[in-house]
Amino acid sequence: MAQRSSLSVPCEVPVLALCFLACIATGLELSVNNYIGDFDLTTPPVPSLSLSCLAQNSSQAEELLWYRGDGKVDLKDGNKVNISNICISPVTESDNRVTFTCRLARDQSVRVTVTLDVQFPPQLTKEEESIQAEEDKDVTLTCNAKANPQALATWYKNNTTLTLQKNRYQLYQTSEVSQLTIHKVQKSDNGTYTCVVKSDLGEGRKDFYLTVEDKKPVFPKEAVIAAVVVVTLTVLFGIVARKDKIFKVW
């Protein structure tokens, strides 16, 4: 039994080699939507999108497989041999950069990968927000926006482009977030701050209504504790001083 197992390994290697050489010798290759190599497919969000995989130069019936990312797509029996079609329905913003790969079943190194490039205008999570802040506190305004292609964010105060003064404002930006921090806000910072996000496909905006309130008085902890102690001792001394009268009443 042990000898039979060891002999089975070299027998399998030529079979795989012949399979690979057969693909080369016959010029067998796959194409998706007439593209032979990997490619990006640019599209807006649409109700449906079709991908068609074709085994070219095949001399026999070739089974095809489809994958979405790493997950295998279920195909009907009549949609697997030499040509296979899938329909993505719907195509949404969340499908951006998702991959679809058509593979040859008997040699999955023969494949074509399609990466969806779903393009859409800027989308913001909220349209407006009201913020109350105390004087001398830092305030951060956060503008979350998704867009493809990437959008550029600009900040305005009361419909005028905001001048980012050093040590007063701090701006942090990524592909999906723009944050404006105002250091030690004052009453003069009251107003409407607007984040406008623009791309070639459109724009989105979000308003922040900032109200700066008076600074609340801060009582020193030590002084409060001392006052409580004084009041407590005063009450206790008063009770002790009048204990005779209290007992006489009883």
Side-chain angles (χ1 to χ4, degrees):
M1 295 293 290
Q3 291 179 346
R4 187 180 303 169
S5 176
S6 63
L7 289 173
S8 66
V9 175
C11 290
E12 292 178 358
V13 174
V15 173
L16 293 174
L18 288 172
C19 175
F20 177 72
L21 291 174
C23 293
I24 297 177
T26 60
L28 177 62
E29 57 188 5
L30 301 182
S31 66
V32 173
N33 291 15
N34 297 322
Y35 287 88
I36 294 175
D38 298 346
F39 67 98
D40 285 6
L41 179 58
T42 300
T43 177
V46 290
S48 64
L49 179 67
S50 296
L51 299 177
S52 180
C53 182
L54 174 66
Q56 296 184 339
N57 304 320
S58 60
S59 58
Q60 62 185 51
E62 298 288 356
E63 182 182 357
L64 303 176
L65 306 173
W66 274 103
Y67 290 83
R68 176 189 171 107
D70 296 327
K72 190 175 180 180
V73 177
D74 291 331
L75 300 173
K76 294 182 179 180
D77 289 339
N79 189 30
K80 295 181 179 180
V81 180
N82 289 345
I83 185 168
S84 180
N85 301 296
I86 61 172
C87 181
I88 309 163
S89 178
V91 177
T92 67
E93 292 83 354
S94 61
D95 292 316
N96 188 41
R97 308 315 300 170
V98 171
T99 60
F100 290 86
T101 303
C102 180
R103 297 177 183 271
L104 192 66
R106 65 183 175 90
D107 182 4
Q108 295 196 29
S109 67
V110 180
R111 60 171 181 74
V112 175
T113 296
V114 182
T115 302
L116 295 186
D117 177 28
V118 184
Q119 300 200 343
F120 53 94
Q123 297 180 342
L124 281 72
T125 54
K126 290 183 179 181
E127 293 184 355
E128 60 182 46
E129 187 175 338
S130 296
I131 298 175
Q132 289 78 40
E134 187 181 326
E135 279 187 303
D136 289 335
K137 298 290 186 180
D138 290 352
V139 173
T140 298
L141 312 179
T142 302
C143 186
N144 294 302
K146 290 185 177 182
N148 184 35
Q150 185 174 336
L152 177 66
T154 305
W155 286 89
Y156 298 83
K157 180 183 178 183
N158 299 329
N159 296 320
T160 301
T161 304
L162 184 64
T163 302
L164 299 178
Q165 301 173 8
K166 189 176 181 180
N167 300 326
R168 283 284 293 133
Y169 302 100
Q170 182 178 347
L171 187 62
Y172 169 78
Q173 295 197 95
T174 68
S175 60
E176 295 187 358
V177 176
S178 181
Q179 284 186 334
L180 175 68
T181 298
I182 309 172
H183 296 291
K184 295 184 177 181
V185 293
Q186 304 298 319
K187 289 294 185 67
S188 59
D189 293 314
N190 280 334
T192 301
Y193 294 79
T194 304
C195 169
V196 178
V197 184
K198 291 183 179 182
S199 75
D200 293 339
L201 300 181
E203 70 174 54
R205 58 193 296 134
K206 179 179 179 180
D207 291 325
F208 298 84
Y209 304 105
L210 177 61
T211 303
V212 180
E213 301 173 341
D214 292 333
K215 188 175 182 180
K216 297 177 182 178
V218 178
F219 295 98
K221 186 184 297 183
E222 295 80 2
V224 173
I225 294 174
V228 171
V229 171
V230 169
V231 171
T232 303
L233 290 175
T234 301
V235 172
L236 290 175
F237 285 139
I239 293 173
V240 171
R242 301 184 61 186
K243 66 179 181 178
D244 293 338
K245 292 182 180 181
I246 295 173
F247 290 144
K248 286 179 180 180
V249 172
W250 287 97

